[in-house]
Amino acid sequence: GAGVSQTPSNKVTEKGKYVELRCDPISGHTALYWYRQSLGQGPEFLIYFQGTGAADDSGLPNDRFFAVRPEGSVSTLKIQRTERGDSAVYLCASSSNRGTEGYTFGSGTRLTVV
Amino acid sequence: GENVEQHPSTLSVQEGDSAVIKCTYSDSASNYFPWYKQELGKRPQLIIDIRSNVGEKKDQRIAVTLNKTAKHFSLHITETQPEDSAVYFCAALNTGTASKLTFGTGTRLQVTL
């Protein structure tokens, strides 16, 4: 597609529920990244995929967070047993190289846990 | 890991004046430094970047300078316009060993008439 697409744009969920956030990267981009942005802060790295595999998941805060990219294109970020502290904007980005070529962000999913 | 500090957190300038935002980084191996502009409720957008093999880069009213020895880099916006009002983030990356950008905490720029 023309850009990085993220769905849903907004998600409100109750504490303890499970959520899935979707990212559709730019066609042909092999690298895909998830970041989390809290209010008034810069984006914080969560996980990086090169193709289908997670090349770096050092930013995932705990084992409630998991992400997949089974076919090397669309990625899903999954959060189990959501907590109020998980509320943030979750940004996805993709690039054709290791972060230096066409690193483009999606519009994000605003997650609110009530 | 890398740590990026950004100053100031807020900056107000009059239209037509210049604005300067400064960042420092901790990892001397970082070699790529992008700047992003983020308007309220929108995605971060790359406005300019610089690699460690150059000291300065300019694109119309925007310029970035890099001092590798001191490990700091700055964004310069000249002839500011109201549409420059946004939050600006600096970031750093070591392209050799990592792909994750480490971001600064952002600068909210307000250009007043």
Side-chain angles (χ1 to χ4, degrees):
Chain A
V4 178
S5 176
Q6 291 188 246
T7 55
S9 55
N10 281 283
K11 176 71 177 178
V12 180
T13 190
E14 291 181 348
K15 179 176 177 292
K17 298 290 188 182
Y18 168 83
V19 295
E20 290 189 351
L21 313 179
R22 175 188 169 107
C23 173
D24 201 339
I26 291 174
S27 179
H29 277 190
T30 57
L32 184 146
Y33 316 81
W34 284 98
Y35 287 80
R36 178 167 71 174
Q37 186 173 26
S38 300
L39 192 64
Q41 299 294 317
E44 292 180 302
F45 171 79
L46 295 176
I47 187 169
Y48 153 58
F49 287 90
Q50 184 62 251
T52 60
D56 182 354
D57 64 357
S58 61
L60 295 178
N62 51 59
D63 61 6
R64 296 187 297 106
F65 288 75
F66 189 71
V68 295
R69 195 186 185 198
E71 298 178 356
S73 179
V74 172
S75 176
T76 305
L77 178 66
K78 307 180 180 192
I79 310 174
Q80 298 178 320
R81 305 183 303 280
T82 51
E83 299 177 356
R84 293 197 177 88
D86 299 334
S87 298
V89 175
Y90 289 80
L91 293 165
C92 176
S94 70
S95 75
S96 57
N97 204 337
R98 287 166 58 97
T100 61
E101 301 291 340
Y103 203 114
T104 305
F105 281 92
S107 296
T109 294
R110 180 175 299 277
L111 176 66
T112 304
V113 182
V114 297
Chain B
E2 176 65 277
N3 181 52
V4 177
E5 295 190 354
Q6 183 171 348
H7 300 280
S9 56
T10 60
L11 179 59
S12 181
V13 300
Q14 285 198 322
E15 183 180 9
D17 288 350
S18 295
V20 181
I21 302 170
K22 299 182 179 181
C23 289
T24 61
Y25 60 99
S26 62
D27 186 354
S28 57
S30 289
N31 59 354
Y32 174 67
F33 307 93
W35 285 88
Y36 287 85
K37 176 183 180 182
Q38 188 174 31
E39 297 177 5
L40 189 62
K42 297 194 175 179
R43 72 189 75 191
Q45 292 196 303
L46 179 69
I47 56 171
I48 195 167
D49 56 14
I50 190 167
R51 299 173 194 276
S52 59
N53 57 346
V54 299
E56 183 173 359
K57 183 176 178 180
K58 189 173 182 180
D59 183 3
Q60 298 183 351
R61 296 187 297 108
I62 295 173
V64 58
T65 59
L66 171 65
N67 183 326
K68 287 170 54 180
T69 303
K71 289 190 283 188
H72 67 68
F73 56 113
S74 300
L75 177 71
H76 305 252
I77 306 174
T78 59
E79 301 172 27
T80 53
Q81 300 168 3
E83 51 265 39
D84 294 330
S85 296
V87 179
Y88 291 81
F89 292 98
C90 62
L93 170 67
N94 176 354
T95 61
T97 61
S99 289
K100 57 186 179 186
L101 288 170
T102 301
F103 284 84
T105 49
T107 296
R108 181 173 298 279
L109 174 64
Q110 181 70 44
V111 180
T112 58
L113 297 173

mmCIF file of all heavy atoms in Angstrom, chain B residues 11-35:
data_model
loop_
_atom_site.group_PDB
_atom_site.id
_atom_site.type_symbol
_atom_site.label_atom_id
_atom_site.label_comp_id
_atom_site.label_asym_id
_atom_site.label_seq_id
_atom_site.Cartn_x
_atom_site.Cartn_y
_atom_site.Cartn_z
ATOM 1 N N LEU B 11 9.372 25.144 23.452
ATOM 2 C CA LEU B 11 10.044 26.268 22.825
ATOM 3 C C LEU B 11 9.007 27.123 22.121
ATOM 4 O O LEU B 11 8.238 26.613 21.307
ATOM 5 C CB LEU B 11 11.085 25.751 21.824
ATOM 6 C CG LEU B 11 11.892 26.766 21.037
ATOM 7 C CD1 LEU B 11 12.682 27.679 21.967
ATOM 8 C CD2 LEU B 11 12.834 26.051 20.063
ATOM 9 N N SER B 12 8.988 28.395 22.453
ATOM 10 C CA SER B 12 8.058 29.308 21.811
ATOM 11 C C SER B 12 8.857 30.389 21.095
ATOM 12 O O SER B 12 9.719 31.019 21.707
ATOM 13 C CB SER B 12 7.123 29.931 22.861
ATOM 14 O OG SER B 12 6.193 30.795 22.239
ATOM 15 N N VAL B 13 8.589 30.567 19.816
ATOM 16 C CA VAL B 13 9.280 31.579 19.032
ATOM 17 C C VAL B 13 8.256 32.368 18.238
ATOM 18 O O VAL B 13 7.150 31.888 17.970
ATOM 19 C CB VAL B 13 10.328 30.965 18.077
ATOM 20 C CG1 VAL B 13 11.380 30.196 18.859
ATOM 21 C CG2 VAL B 13 9.672 30.079 17.037
ATOM 22 N N GLN B 14 8.638 33.556 17.848
ATOM 23 C CA GLN B 14 7.763 34.366 16.997
ATOM 24 C C GLN B 14 7.982 33.980 15.537
ATOM 25 O O GLN B 14 9.096 33.611 15.134
ATOM 26 C CB GLN B 14 8.051 35.844 17.210
ATOM 27 C CG GLN B 14 7.494 36.395 18.511
ATOM 28 C CD GLN B 14 7.410 37.904 18.510
ATOM 29 O OE1 GLN B 14 8.307 38.563 17.973
ATOM 30 N NE2 GLN B 14 6.367 38.456 19.092
ATOM 31 N N GLU B 15 6.929 34.090 14.792
ATOM 32 C CA GLU B 15 7.016 33.788 13.363
ATOM 33 C C GLU B 15 8.167 34.571 12.734
ATOM 34 O O GLU B 15 8.333 35.772 12.973
ATOM 35 C CB GLU B 15 5.698 34.153 12.680
ATOM 36 C CG GLU B 15 5.670 33.808 11.206
ATOM 37 C CD GLU B 15 4.341 34.186 10.556
ATOM 38 O OE1 GLU B 15 3.521 34.865 11.212
ATOM 39 O OE2 GLU B 15 4.131 33.793 9.390
ATOM 40 N N GLY B 16 8.969 33.838 11.966
ATOM 41 C CA GLY B 16 10.106 34.459 11.303
ATOM 42 C C GLY B 16 11.418 34.288 12.041
ATOM 43 O O GLY B 16 12.493 34.418 11.443
ATOM 44 N N ASP B 17 11.328 33.991 13.344
ATOM 45 C CA ASP B 17 12.549 33.745 14.114
ATOM 46 C C ASP B 17 13.047 32.332 13.851
ATOM 47 O O ASP B 17 12.381 31.516 13.228
ATOM 48 C CB ASP B 17 12.281 33.935 15.601
ATOM 49 C CG ASP B 17 12.097 35.395 15.970
ATOM 50 O OD1 ASP B 17 12.367 36.271 15.102
ATOM 51 O OD2 ASP B 17 11.673 35.668 17.110
ATOM 52 N N SER B 18 14.248 32.065 14.374
ATOM 53 C CA SER B 18 14.832 30.727 14.259
ATOM 54 C C SER B 18 14.564 29.917 15.523
ATOM 55 O O SER B 18 14.386 30.487 16.610
ATOM 56 C CB SER B 18 16.345 30.823 14.041
ATOM 57 O OG SER B 18 16.638 31.438 12.808
ATOM 58 N N ALA B 19 14.554 28.609 15.359
ATOM 59 C CA ALA B 19 14.381 27.695 16.496
ATOM 60 C C ALA B 19 15.508 26.670 16.455
ATOM 61 O O ALA B 19 15.867 26.180 15.375
ATOM 62 C CB ALA B 19 13.029 26.996 16.417
ATOM 63 N N VAL B 20 16.032 26.359 17.629
ATOM 64 C CA VAL B 20 17.104 25.361 17.730
ATOM 65 C C VAL B 20 16.743 24.349 18.807
ATOM 66 O O VAL B 20 16.383 24.727 19.928
ATOM 67 C CB VAL B 20 18.458 26.005 18.072
ATOM 68 C CG1 VAL B 20 19.541 24.934 18.154
ATOM 69 C CG2 VAL B 20 18.830 27.056 17.047
ATOM 70 N N ILE B 21 16.830 23.094 18.455
ATOM 71 C CA ILE B 21 16.561 22.000 19.393
ATOM 72 C C ILE B 21 17.818 21.142 19.455
ATOM 73 O O ILE B 21 18.400 20.815 18.415
ATOM 74 C CB ILE B 21 15.361 21.158 18.931
ATOM 75 C CG1 ILE B 21 14.117 22.040 18.792
ATOM 76 C CG2 ILE B 21 15.095 20.021 19.916
ATOM 77 C CD1 ILE B 21 12.935 21.344 18.117
ATOM 78 N N LYS B 22 18.209 20.776 20.676
ATOM 79 C CA LYS B 22 19.474 20.063 20.856
ATOM 80 C C LYS B 22 19.270 18.680 21.468
ATOM 81 O O LYS B 22 18.406 18.506 22.341
ATOM 82 C CB LYS B 22 20.402 20.886 21.750
ATOM 83 C CG LYS B 22 20.739 22.248 21.170
ATOM 84 C CD LYS B 22 21.694 23.022 22.053
ATOM 85 C CE LYS B 22 22.021 24.366 21.428
ATOM 86 N NZ LYS B 22 22.984 25.140 22.253
ATOM 87 N N CYS B 23 20.082 17.748 21.007
ATOM 88 C CA CYS B 23 20.039 16.383 21.547
ATOM 89 C C CYS B 23 21.449 15.885 21.811
ATOM 90 O O CYS B 23 22.387 16.243 21.074
ATOM 91 C CB CYS B 23 19.345 15.429 20.576
ATOM 92 S SG CYS B 23 17.562 15.705 20.475
ATOM 93 N N THR B 24 21.583 15.088 22.847
ATOM 94 C CA THR B 24 22.839 14.402 23.116
ATOM 95 C C THR B 24 22.570 12.905 23.156
ATOM 96 O O THR B 24 21.462 12.465 23.477
ATOM 97 C CB THR B 24 23.458 14.842 24.450
ATOM 98 O OG1 THR B 24 22.542 14.529 25.511
ATOM 99 C CG2 THR B 24 23.741 16.331 24.457
ATOM 100 N N TYR B 25 23.575 12.132 22.800
ATOM 101 C CA TYR B 25 23.428 10.682 22.816
ATOM 102 C C TYR B 25 24.607 10.072 23.564
ATOM 103 O O TYR B 25 25.647 10.714 23.749
ATOM 104 C CB TYR B 25 23.310 10.111 21.399
ATOM 105 C CG TYR B 25 24.486 10.378 20.480
ATOM 106 C CD1 TYR B 25 25.464 9.402 20.268
ATOM 107 C CD2 TYR B 25 24.618 11.594 19.813
ATOM 108 C CE1 TYR B 25 26.528 9.623 19.413
ATOM 109 C CE2 TYR B 25 25.678 11.821 18.964
ATOM 110 C CZ TYR B 25 26.630 10.845 18.757
ATOM 111 O OH TYR B 25 27.690 11.076 17.914
ATOM 112 N N SER B 26 24.446 8.843 23.994
ATOM 113 C CA SER B 26 25.463 8.241 24.854
ATOM 114 C C SER B 26 26.330 7.209 24.139
ATOM 115 O O SER B 26 27.492 7.023 24.520
ATOM 116 C CB SER B 26 24.789 7.575 26.059
ATOM 117 O OG SER B 26 23.917 6.536 25.630
ATOM 118 N N ASP B 27 25.800 6.547 23.137
ATOM 119 C CA ASP B 27 26.516 5.458 22.477
ATOM 120 C C ASP B 27 27.346 6.003 21.313
ATOM 121 O O ASP B 27 26.783 6.419 20.294
ATOM 122 C CB ASP B 27 25.524 4.405 21.979
ATOM 123 C CG ASP B 27 26.203 3.172 21.414
ATOM 124 O OD1 ASP B 27 27.452 3.159 21.300
ATOM 125 O OD2 ASP B 27 25.488 2.218 21.072
ATOM 126 N N SER B 28 28.651 5.996 21.471
ATOM 127 C CA SER B 28 29.520 6.541 20.422
ATOM 128 C C SER B 28 29.435 5.750 19.117
ATOM 129 O O SER B 28 29.880 6.228 18.073
ATOM 130 C CB SER B 28 30.970 6.571 20.919
ATOM 131 O OG SER B 28 31.384 5.277 21.299
ATOM 132 N N ALA B 29 28.855 4.561 19.158
ATOM 133 C CA ALA B 29 28.704 3.759 17.944
ATOM 134 C C ALA B 29 27.479 4.162 17.125
ATOM 135 O O ALA B 29 27.321 3.713 15.981
ATOM 136 C CB ALA B 29 28.615 2.277 18.307
ATOM 137 N N SER B 30 26.602 4.988 17.674
ATOM 138 C CA SER B 30 25.448 5.449 16.902
ATOM 139 C C SER B 30 25.928 6.244 15.700
ATOM 140 O O SER B 30 26.862 7.054 15.802
ATOM 141 C CB SER B 30 24.521 6.302 17.773
ATOM 142 O OG SER B 30 23.862 5.506 18.720
ATOM 143 N N ASN B 31 25.320 5.995 14.556
ATOM 144 C CA ASN B 31 25.802 6.628 13.333
ATOM 145 C C ASN B 31 24.697 7.167 12.427
ATOM 146 O O ASN B 31 24.947 7.605 11.307
ATOM 147 C CB ASN B 31 26.677 5.639 12.545
ATOM 148 C CG ASN B 31 25.927 4.374 12.183
ATOM 149 O OD1 ASN B 31 24.782 4.168 12.598
ATOM 150 N ND2 ASN B 31 26.563 3.515 11.425
ATOM 151 N N TYR B 32 23.470 7.133 12.914
ATOM 152 C CA TYR B 32 22.358 7.650 12.110
ATOM 153 C C TYR B 32 21.430 8.407 13.042
ATOM 154 O O TYR B 32 21.028 7.881 14.087
ATOM 155 C CB TYR B 32 21.619 6.488 11.429
ATOM 156 C CG TYR B 32 20.368 6.897 10.680
ATOM 157 C CD1 TYR B 32 20.451 7.697 9.543
ATOM 158 C CD2 TYR B 32 19.114 6.502 11.114
ATOM 159 C CE1 TYR B 32 19.316 8.076 8.860
ATOM 160 C CE2 TYR B 32 17.980 6.887 10.439
ATOM 161 C CZ TYR B 32 18.079 7.669 9.318
ATOM 162 O OH TYR B 32 16.952 8.053 8.640
ATOM 163 N N PHE B 33 21.074 9.642 12.633
ATOM 164 C CA PHE B 33 20.346 10.534 13.529
ATOM 165 C C PHE B 33 19.204 11.210 12.766
ATOM 166 O O PHE B 33 19.402 12.226 12.099
ATOM 167 C CB PHE B 33 21.303 11.584 14.114
ATOM 168 C CG PHE B 33 22.517 10.970 14.751
ATOM 169 C CD1 PHE B 33 23.681 10.784 14.023
ATOM 170 C CD2 PHE B 33 22.480 10.560 16.074
ATOM 171 C CE1 PHE B 33 24.798 10.197 14.598
ATOM 172 C CE2 PHE B 33 23.594 9.978 16.666
ATOM 173 C CZ PHE B 33 24.747 9.792 15.925
ATOM 174 N N PRO B 34 18.008 10.677 12.875
ATOM 175 C CA PRO B 34 16.849 11.290 12.204
ATOM 176 C C PRO B 34 16.109 12.238 13.138
ATOM 177 O O PRO B 34 16.193 12.123 14.377
ATOM 178 C CB PRO B 34 15.976 10.076 11.862
ATOM 179 C CG PRO B 34 16.272 9.096 12.951
ATOM 180 C CD PRO B 34 17.702 9.336 13.384
ATOM 181 N N TRP B 35 15.373 13.153 12.539
ATOM 182 C CA TRP B 35 14.488 14.044 13.267
ATOM 183 C C TRP B 35 13.072 13.837 12.742
ATOM 184 O O TRP B 35 12.850 13.780 11.529
ATOM 185 C CB TRP B 35 14.891 15.506 13.064
ATOM 186 C CG TRP B 35 16.112 15.900 13.833
ATOM 187 C CD1 TRP B 35 17.411 15.784 13.432
ATOM 188 C CD2 TRP B 35 16.147 16.481 15.139
ATOM 189 N NE1 TRP B 35 18.255 16.255 14.410
ATOM 190 C CE2 TRP B 35 17.498 16.694 15.470
ATOM 191 C CE3 TRP B 35 15.161 16.855 16.069
ATOM 192 C CZ2 TRP B 35 17.901 17.254 16.676
ATOM 193 C CZ3 TRP B 35 15.568 17.414 17.264
ATOM 194 C CH2 TRP B 35 16.918 17.610 17.563
#
